[in-house]
């Protein structure tokens, strides 16, 4: 034409648009057998109607808030959104909703209140429902549907968004194969039918309407989401409008598109600018009914937006293959326009147009993929500051090992000398200078630079103080090494097989964190380590029960005393002299006297019984990534036809829990424990997981709020009784038995809480946890006289293994969110977070509290036992976390950084918080020892 239309946005293609987002809608729920069975109307529209169907691929993390961001901005959200998902802040990025509001479109929204938090003041009318209260399947959707009839009759809106949560909640509570899924899909089908018929009846000749059906993410085989399995990342995306041609033949496999493509496609459909940071491509079939000139114009708009985004993010953008392809396509487009203006309407023009479209599609695909890879912009300065502090703390812990594990169990960081040294002030000045230079020259936004100067100087002082502390600790070690030893006693640095295994296992596990496959299948590492530990313990038991008997115990003492002059004695060939030296000599005498009669054989059988328990637990829950889809005993138990078997197993497990826990409780706590466990079974029966023997037919399923709260009363009662005993032992300094009873009652209260939160098929995990602890205490740790450090590390290893026995993995999808809503009738943030965290980390947490109970009972033998245990527990957690932070920083451009390494970092972070809480509890319980030391 005579005038360029370059600056004008093309007119809208659709008058009204309705977006129906069904949370956790998997692709096979629409395109698979479930779709045909439960969604007949949608299936008919997909196969024979005026529609286009696609499978949209979501990028991990597959949780709601980041996925809504991706759908509306077309960009790939950061991984921190997994955490922010709990309390979404307003979305400040350029997005479709903002553009629609700016263009004067009237938007109505009903559903998940995450939208209301992300887009405040954008909707002319809205009604938000809480997305986190997962035990609500019906009301949460009824609150959306009740507005439909009224809104569909009105004309005062342009964009209607409906977000249904019921299906997601059913997945969290009962899984994708639950009998509740079918009726819910049928309900969704009827809603879609109602909307589609209403839109068709209101259509005018000028502009058609559009119905978009999509999911934000799918669900895994366990019903959760957050990871990157096929079930979680593949969601259906349907465009239904009278503007499209009717299908002649049934649909083959739907085409794959990216979830980020929706924002760009809807922007063009509504006649809006494409969001600035969108990396999506226009889905071409949606505009396929338009003229060639319009189609090319849309493709050019999309390509222009992507190339501009590339220019902003890449200095050498001109060499990018996507940019080069786009420029070639743009040139061809210019030639096509020339031909078009000459009035050439021949076949040549059409063929050339198709060729240009192909060039544009190729350019858009290449631009989109190179932009998706560049999305991660790392704030390296802030990351380096954090890493330096973490590594300094780890170094201080390692340098303090000799003192912390001495008889006095001292762990002091000398702060006063460094704070008055010249080096401290010089370091502070130097770091402040570096901070000023980095913050004034940094082009991109830096978190650490955005902090106040007071905070920044505080961080610099902390780094300097830690560094000076490390240097003074190293100096002291060198000074002590130069001093002559006080007495020429034998060095106590001999290593037993258990020590070698502990060191090799710790180093091996830390090194394995550098490989994505080892992180995905980390449970295999822990299963291997505890199996090997059981075999080593078996060898120790055999040696102490059989080999050491051949030698006179008194002679062993002589061997120890004359170790320098005597290399070995012919009368006692079978003794491992290294193992008999130092404190481990006690094992030779005490254990051979201790083990008499049947106890000896039970002790020898204990490692093998533990191995059998671990093997049974492995087959209960398949975890990890590679084999997570394989059937396991847990799946078999949770299927609806095996409810009676599950009920029997749950009842037996609860009885076993009672017998294993009650032995050291007071009478009141025993009664509370029995009633509490009865309440746990009643709760599971109320929500329909298990049945009572006298129950016939399907009982009405409730939320079980009363039953759960009944159990909470007993949990709090038992924990309160234990806390009262602990306070009595701390304040009045009563005998250690009061303290031991108090600790055990706190522990038994936590066991009751775990029994309530665990799914019924997971109750055997709790039984085996208590059984292994009981057997190891009586038949391994006490007879073999292990020191506090070794027992702590064994507890830590078993705690890690039980984390995976529960069915957890390093993927977010295995977090059981439903545990956070047991006994709650609405979403309350703090209790929900606490309950979910406790249910997830119950294994490590219960083993840590059991360690405290055990070490407190050992105080008479070793007054520093609790101090040693606390230090070793902190060290065992710090080593892998610190090394992993360095590894993950180095691997930040790895292909699996978001799907494998980031979720693991999140798990490690939460685990560090829990360990810190445990160590504070240890320190509080160790007050008596610290008074003695002073």
């Amino acid at each position: 034409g005579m005038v360029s239309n370059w600056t004008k946005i093309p007119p809208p293609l659709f008058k009204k648009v309705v977006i129906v987002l069904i949370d956790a809608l998997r692709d096979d729920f629409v395109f698979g057998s479930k779709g045909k069975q439960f969604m007949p109307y949608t299936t008919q529209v997909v196969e024979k109607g005026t529609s286009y169907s696609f499978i949209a691929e979501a990028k991990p993390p597959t949780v709601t808030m980041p996925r809504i961001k991706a759908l509306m901005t077309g960009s790939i959200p950061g991984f921190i959104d997994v955490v922010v998902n709990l309390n979404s802040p307003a979305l400040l990025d350029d997005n479709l909703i903002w553009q629609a509001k700016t263009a004067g479109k009237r938007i109505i929204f009903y559903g998940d209140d995450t939208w209301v938090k992300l887009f405040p003041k954008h909707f002319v009318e809205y009604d938000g429902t809480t997305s986190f209260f997962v035990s609500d399947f019906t009301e949460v959707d009824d609150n959306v549907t009740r507005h439909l009839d009224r809104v569909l009759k009105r004309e005062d809106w342009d964009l209607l968004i409906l977000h249904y949560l019921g299906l997601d909640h059913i997945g969290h509570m009962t899984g994708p194969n639950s009998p509740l899924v079918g009726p819910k899909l049928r309900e969704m089908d009827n809603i879609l039918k109602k909307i589609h018929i209403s839109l068709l009846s209101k259509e005018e000749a000028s502009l058609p309407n559009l119905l978009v059906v999509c999911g934000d993410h799918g669900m895994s085989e366990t019903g959760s989401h957050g990871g990157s399995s096929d079930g979680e990342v593949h969601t259906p995306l349907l465009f239904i409008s009278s503007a499209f041609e009717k299908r002649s033949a049934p649909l083959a496999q739907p085409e794959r598109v990216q979830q980020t493509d929706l924002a760009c496609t809807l922007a063009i459909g509504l006649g809006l600018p494409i969001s600035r940071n969108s990396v999506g491509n226009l889905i071409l079939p949606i505009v396929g009914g338009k003229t060639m000139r319009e189609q090319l114009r849309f493709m050019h708009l999309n390509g222009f937006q992507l190339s501009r985004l590339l220019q902003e993010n890449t200095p050498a953008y001109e060499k990018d293959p996507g940019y080069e392809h786009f420029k070639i396509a743009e040139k061809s487009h210019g030639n096509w326009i020339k031909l078009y203006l000459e009035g050439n309407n021949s076949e040549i023009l059409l063929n050339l147009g198709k060729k240009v479209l192909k060039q544009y599609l190729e350019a858009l695909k290449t631009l989109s993929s190179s932009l998706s890879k560049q999305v991660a912009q790392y704030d390296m300065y802030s990351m380096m500051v954090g890493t330096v502090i973490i590594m300094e703390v780890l170094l201080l812990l390692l340098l303090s090992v000799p003192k912390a594990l001495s008889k006095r169990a001292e762990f002091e960081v000398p702060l006063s000398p460094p704070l008055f040294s010249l080096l401290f002030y010089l370091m502070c000045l130097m770091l402040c200078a570096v901070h000023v230079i980095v913050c004034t020259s940094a082009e991109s936004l830096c978190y650490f630079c955005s902090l106040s100067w007071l905070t920044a100087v505080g961080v610099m002082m902390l780094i300097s103080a830690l560094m000076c502390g490390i240097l003074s600790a190293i100096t002291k070690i060198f000074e002590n090494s130069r001093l002559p030893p006080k007495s020429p006693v034998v060095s106590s640095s001999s290593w037993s097989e258990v020590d070698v295994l502990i060191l090799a296992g710790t180093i091996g596990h830390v090194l394995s964190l550098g490989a994505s496959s080892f992180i995905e299948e980390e449970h295999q590492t822990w299963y291997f380590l505890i199996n090997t530990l059981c075999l080593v313990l078996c060898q120790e038991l055999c040696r102490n029960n059989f080999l050491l008997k051949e030698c006179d115990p008194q002679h062993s003492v002589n061997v120890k005393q004359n170790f320098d002059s005597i290399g070995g004695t012919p009368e006692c060939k079978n003794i491992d002299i290294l193992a008999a030296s130092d404190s481990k000599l006690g094992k030779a005498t005490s254990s051979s006297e201790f083990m008499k009669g049947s106890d000896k054989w039970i002790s020898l059988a204990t490692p093998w019984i533990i191995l059998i328990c671990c093997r049974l637990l492995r087959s209960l829950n398949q975890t990890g990534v590679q084999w997570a889809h394989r059937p396991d005993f847990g799946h078999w138990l949770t299927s609806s036809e095996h409810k009676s078997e599950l009920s029997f197993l749950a009842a037996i497990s609860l009885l076993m829990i009672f017998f294993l826990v009650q032995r050291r409780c007071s009478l009141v706590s025993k009664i509370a424990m029995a009633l509490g466990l009865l309440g746990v079974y009643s709760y599971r029966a109320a929500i329909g997981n298990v049945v009572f023997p006298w129950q016939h037919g399907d009982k009405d399923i409730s939320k079980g709020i009363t039953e759960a709260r009944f159990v909470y009363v007993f949990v709090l009662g038992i924990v309160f009784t234990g806390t009262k005993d602990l306070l009595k032992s701390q304040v009045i300094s009563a005998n250690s038995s009061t303290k031991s009873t108090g600790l055990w009652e706190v522990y038994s209260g936590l066991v009751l809480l775990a029994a309530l939160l665990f799914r019924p098929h997971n109750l055997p995990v709790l039984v085996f946890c208590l059984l292994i602890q009981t057997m190891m205490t009586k038949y391994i740790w006490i007879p073999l006289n292990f020191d506090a450090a070794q027992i702590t590390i064994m507890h830590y290893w078993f705690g890690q293994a039980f984390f995976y026995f529960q069915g957890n993995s390093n993927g977010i999808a295995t977090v059981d969110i439903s545990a956070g809503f047991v006994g709650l009738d609405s979403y309350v943030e703090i209790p929900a977070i606490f309950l979910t965290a406790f249910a997830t980390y119950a294994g490590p947490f219960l083993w840590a509290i059991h360690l405290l109970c055990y070490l407190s009972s050992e105080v008479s033998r070793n007054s520093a036992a609790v101090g040693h245990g606390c230090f070793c527990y902190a060290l065992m957690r710090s080593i892998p976390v610190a090394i992993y932070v360095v590894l993950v920083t180095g691997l930040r451009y790895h292909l699996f950084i978001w799907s494998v390494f980031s979720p693991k970092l999140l798990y490690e972070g939460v685990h560090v918080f829990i360990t810190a809480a445990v160590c504070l509890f240890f320190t509080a319980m160790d007050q008596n020892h610290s008074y003695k030391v002073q």
Side-chain angles (χ1 to χ4, degrees):
M2 297 300 292
V3 186
S4 166
N5 62 355
W6 178 256
T7 52
K8 288 181 188 168
I9 296 163
L13 309 178
F14 305 102
K15 188 183 180 199
K16 287 186 189 303
V17 176
V18 180
I19 300 171
V20 181
L21 194 156
I22 302 168
D23 212 289
L25 187 68
R26 256 172 32 170
D27 59 337
D28 60 333
F29 286 177
V30 175
F31 304 127
S33 57
K34 276 194 175 78
K36 286 186 173 63
Q37 188 181 350
F38 300 114
M39 301 186 81
Y41 184 79
T42 310
T43 305
Q44 186 196 342
V45 171
V46 164
E47 290 183 351
K48 295 172 185 169
T50 54
S51 69
Y52 285 107
S53 310
F54 305 94
I55 291 176
E57 194 176 322
K59 292 273 187 288
T62 46
V63 290
T64 298
M65 195 269 276
R67 302 285 40 93
I68 294 172
K69 274 190 179 181
L71 287 164
M72 291 297 110
T73 63
S75 59
I76 298 169
F79 201 84
I80 193 67
D81 285 329
V82 173
V83 183
V84 183
N85 188 50
L86 293 167
N87 193 5
S88 320
L91 179 59
L92 301 175
D93 289 4
D94 185 9
N95 60 76
L96 185 78
I97 303 290
W98 183 82
Q99 290 286 4
K101 184 177 182 280
T102 309
K105 304 271 184 199
R106 293 154 302 175
I107 313 163
I108 294 178
F109 170 77
Y110 304 117
D112 183 349
D113 61 1
T114 306
W115 288 77
V116 182
K117 292 173 189 169
L118 284 172
F119 309 108
K121 300 176 184 171
H122 286 64
F123 305 120
V124 292
E125 190 181 307
Y126 65 86
D127 182 13
T129 54
T130 303
S131 55
F132 294 108
F133 187 52
V134 296
S135 51
D136 174 15
F137 309 148
T138 48
E139 287 166 32
V140 77
D141 286 349
D142 292 344
N143 283 335
V144 178
T145 310
R146 67 195 171 109
H147 300 286
L148 261 185
D149 290 329
R150 183 172 50 84
V151 168
L152 291 172
K153 285 174 190 166
R154 283 159 42 187
E155 290 291 332
D156 61 344
W157 56 271
D158 303 295
L159 179 58
L160 172 64
I161 303 168
L162 309 168
H163 187 146
Y164 284 96
L165 287 160
L167 184 66
D168 178 60
H169 291 186
I170 288 169
H172 281 300
M173 292 299 285
T174 57
N177 301 315
S178 158
L180 298 169
V181 169
K184 181 55 72 179
L185 290 176
R186 194 173 284 119
E187 181 192 334
M188 293 295 109
D189 191 51
N190 291 331
I191 289 162
L192 293 173
K193 182 179 181 179
K194 181 190 279 187
I195 296 167
H196 188 212
I197 291 168
S198 172
L199 287 177
L200 287 174
S201 67
K202 289 201 168 229
E203 263 185 16
E204 296 164 12
S206 55
L207 274 182
N209 296 328
L210 173 68
L211 171 60
V212 179
V213 184
C214 59
D216 53 348
H217 50 73
M219 64 170 83
S220 66
E221 282 307 311
T222 56
S224 197
H225 55 88
S228 54
S229 69
D230 282 354
E232 291 162 87
V233 298
H234 291 150
T235 64
L237 177 58
L238 313 179
F239 294 89
I240 304 166
S241 172
S242 59
F244 309 143
E245 287 178 16
K246 204 165 189 177
R247 289 198 167 277
S248 51
L251 180 75
Q253 182 64 19
E255 190 188 328
R256 292 267 173 94
V257 294
Q258 291 301 310
Q259 199 178 49
T260 46
D261 297 344
L262 180 68
C264 165
T265 307
L266 282 181
I268 282 166
L270 287 164
L272 303 170
I274 299 168
S275 302
R276 180 192 179 98
N277 296 317
S278 168
V279 296
N281 294 345
L282 171 64
I283 301 171
L284 193 59
I286 307 305
V287 297
K290 296 289 159 187
T291 63
M292 183 58 76
R293 187 178 189 187
E294 285 175 301
Q295 287 186 49
L296 290 173
R297 170 102 168 93
F298 298 144
M299 297 301 273
H300 181 258
L301 276 173
N302 191 190
F304 181 75
Q305 175 262 328
L306 287 173
S307 61
R308 193 171 60 180
L309 186 62
L310 187 77
Q311 287 173 40
E312 287 169 7
N313 289 298
T314 315
Y317 66 90
E318 288 172 348
K319 291 175 184 172
D320 187 273
Y323 187 80
E324 288 172 354
H325 288 162
F326 173 67
K327 284 294 165 195
I328 293 164
E330 203 175 35
K331 215 170 190 177
S332 306
H333 188 183
N335 294 334
W336 186 89
I337 292 281
K338 274 181 191 167
L339 279 173
Y340 176 79
L341 291 177
E342 285 166 11
N344 189 338
N345 288 327
S346 66
E347 194 76 18
I348 304 162
L349 191 69
L350 186 67
N351 290 339
L352 182 62
K354 284 179 180 172
K355 186 186 167 191
V356 178
L357 271 181
K358 216 174 195 176
Q359 286 178 330
Y360 268 137
L361 277 172
E362 197 180 313
L364 293 182
K365 208 166 268 182
T366 319
L367 275 169
S368 193
S369 81
S370 59
L371 278 165
S372 299
K373 286 170 191 164
Q374 287 175 11
V375 158
Q377 288 184 331
Y378 295 102
D379 180 1
M380 279 312 293
Y381 178 51
S382 305
M383 286 165 74
M384 291 310 292
V385 171
T387 307
V388 165
I389 295 171
I390 289 169
M391 293 312 290
E392 284 183 330
V393 171
L394 177 66
L395 205 53
L396 261 179
L397 280 170
L398 290 170
L399 289 170
S400 308
V401 168
K403 262 195 149 183
L405 295 184
S406 67
K407 283 182 181 174
R408 288 170 67 83
E410 291 175 315
F411 175 59
E412 287 178 5
V413 179
L415 277 179
S416 50
L419 289 177
F420 298 106
S421 67
L422 180 64
L423 178 66
F424 170 73
Y425 294 108
L426 284 173
M427 279 196 72
C428 277
L429 278 172
M430 191 182 78
L431 290 171
C432 288
V434 170
H435 184 66
V436 171
I437 293 163
V438 171
C439 292
T440 49
S441 61
E443 290 176 8
S444 57
L445 193 70
C446 169
Y447 171 73
F448 189 42
C449 293
S450 66
L451 295 175
S452 68
W453 267 100
L454 209 62
T455 314
V457 170
V459 172
M460 300 304 169
M461 287 174 74
L462 173 68
I463 293 172
S464 308
L466 286 169
M467 184 54 77
C468 293
I470 288 166
L471 292 172
S472 64
I474 292 169
T475 314
K476 273 186 183 175
I477 289 168
F478 274 115
E479 283 171 3
N480 292 343
S481 65
R482 283 178 190 163
L483 295 170
K486 290 175 185 174
S487 55
V489 253
V490 185
S491 164
S492 63
S493 63
S494 57
W495 287 59
S496 70
E497 284 91 336
V498 175
D499 294 330
V500 172
L501 173 66
I502 283 168
L503 183 70
T506 305
I507 293 170
H509 170 247
V510 168
L511 293 176
S512 76
L513 296 175
S516 59
S517 301
F518 273 99
I519 291 173
E520 286 178 341
E521 308 300 320
E522 193 185 348
H523 58 286
Q524 304 284 10
T525 307
W526 289 111
Y527 296 167
F528 172 75
L529 287 177
I530 59 168
N531 289 351
T532 314
L533 179 65
C534 286
L535 294 174
V536 171
L537 291 173
C538 185
Q539 183 202 6
E540 288 275 317
L541 287 164
C542 289
R543 178 190 294 138
N544 279 272
N545 278 305
F546 299 123
L547 304 185
L548 288 168
K549 283 184 180 176
E550 295 172 25
C551 169
D552 173 26
Q554 187 56 46
H555 184 73
S556 302
V557 178
N558 298 337
V559 171
K560 168 81 166 70
Q561 288 167 348
N562 306 316
F563 185 68
D564 284 343
S565 56
I566 306 169
T569 49
E571 299 96 335
C572 190
K573 288 174 188 166
N574 285 320
I575 294 188
D576 181 338
I577 293 173
L578 289 176
S581 68
D582 187 34
S583 65
K584 295 183 185 63
L585 168 76
K587 296 178 195 176
T589 54
S590 67
S591 64
S592 54
E593 288 161 13
F594 182 91
M595 291 297 177
K596 291 194 174 84
S598 62
D599 268 5
K600 181 177 84 173
W601 297 107
I602 296 172
S603 175
L604 288 168
T606 297
W608 300 101
I609 294 168
I610 293 168
L611 282 171
I612 292 165
C613 292
C614 292
R615 185 65 197 86
L616 290 170
L617 287 172
R618 283 182 72 166
S619 52
L620 185 66
N621 291 307
Q622 285 284 3
T623 185
V625 174
Q626 302 295 334
W627 295 280
H629 61 279
R630 288 196 178 174
D632 52 39
F633 193 48
H635 272 103
W636 183 85
L637 283 168
T638 48
S639 62
S640 50
E641 56 266 28
H642 299 126
K643 198 178 267 192
S644 52
E645 289 91 335
L646 178 62
S647 305
F648 178 73
L649 182 71
I652 294 293
S653 298
L654 292 169
L655 276 171
M656 292 275 289
I657 290 167
F658 177 73
F659 286 119
L660 288 165
V661 167
Q662 55 84 37
R663 59 203 161 92
R664 282 166 63 185
C665 292
S666 62
L667 181 64
V668 176
S669 294
K670 281 179 185 178
I671 295 165
M673 192 75 191
L675 290 169
L677 290 168
L678 191 65
V680 170
Y681 193 88
S682 305
Y683 167 72
R684 288 294 164 189
I687 65 168
N689 292 148
V690 297
V691 287
F692 282 111
W694 56 85
Q695 211 174 294
H696 297 294
D698 281 345
K699 189 175 93 41
D700 282 344
I701 293 173
S702 73
K703 291 177 189 171
I705 290 167
T706 312
E707 291 86 347
R709 287 178 179 175
F710 175 77
V711 179
Y712 284 138
V713 169
F714 290 115
V715 170
L716 291 170
I718 296 168
V719 171
F720 176 76
T721 311
T723 311
K724 186 188 72 181
D725 287 346
L726 288 176
L727 289 171
K728 198 190 289 181
S729 73
Q730 295 286 85
V731 178
I732 308 167
S733 288
N735 60 351
S736 60
S737 67
T738 314
K739 187 175 181 178
S740 293
T741 309
L743 275 171
W744 187 260
E745 287 188 333
V746 169
Y747 175 68
S748 55
L750 294 172
V751 168
L752 178 57
L753 179 60
L756 174 65
L757 300 180
F758 274 23
R759 302 263 177 137
H761 76 276
N762 257 351
L763 286 171
V765 177
L766 205 51
V767 174
F768 283 132
C769 172
L770 296 167
L771 184 68
I772 291 170
Q773 287 170 353
T774 308
M775 293 191 77
M776 288 191 87
T777 303
K778 191 172 180 186
Y779 298 112
I780 294 180
W781 293 324
I782 293 174
L784 288 182
N785 204 18
F786 281 120
D787 61 38
Q790 292 170 319
I791 287 166
T792 301
I793 294 166
M794 287 184 211
H795 271 84
Y796 176 77
W797 280 18
F798 272 98
Q800 289 297 98
F802 270 86
F803 174 78
Y804 295 104
F805 284 142
Q806 285 174 236
N808 290 321
S809 71
N810 286 326
I812 293 160
T814 49
V815 177
D816 181 11
I817 297 173
S818 63
F821 303 93
V822 173
L824 301 181
D825 52 8
S826 64
Y827 174 62
V828 190
E829 197 166 312
I830 303 299
I833 291 170
F834 168 76
L835 292 172
T836 307
F838 179 79
T840 307
Y841 290 93
F845 196 72
L846 290 176
W847 277 90
I849 304 298
H850 182 270
L851 170 67
L852 185 55
C853 295
Y854 178 82
L855 293 179
S856 296
S857 66
E858 290 288 288
V859 166
S860 54
R861 198 162 56 86
N862 174 9
S863 63
V866 178
H868 288 172
C870 179
F871 180 80
C872 284
Y873 200 78
L875 187 65
M876 285 303 290
R877 192 83 281 277
S878 305
I879 294 170
V881 171
I883 303 298
Y884 186 68
V885 164
V886 175
L887 286 170
V888 89
T889 308
L891 295 166
R892 63 189 180 279
Y893 295 112
H894 193 283
L895 183 64
F896 299 131
I897 187 68
W898 300 120
S899 56
V900 178
F901 291 101
S902 296
K904 170 68 177 166
L905 191 63
L906 202 61
Y907 272 108
E908 292 293 310
V910 177
H911 202 166
V912 166
F913 272 110
I914 289 167
T915 307
V918 167
C919 288
L920 280 172
F921 191 42
F922 266 73
T923 312
M925 293 301 101
D926 198 28
Q927 288 302 310
N928 297 353
H929 171 66
S930 52
Y931 292 143
K932 282 177 202 168
V933 169
Q934 282 165 12

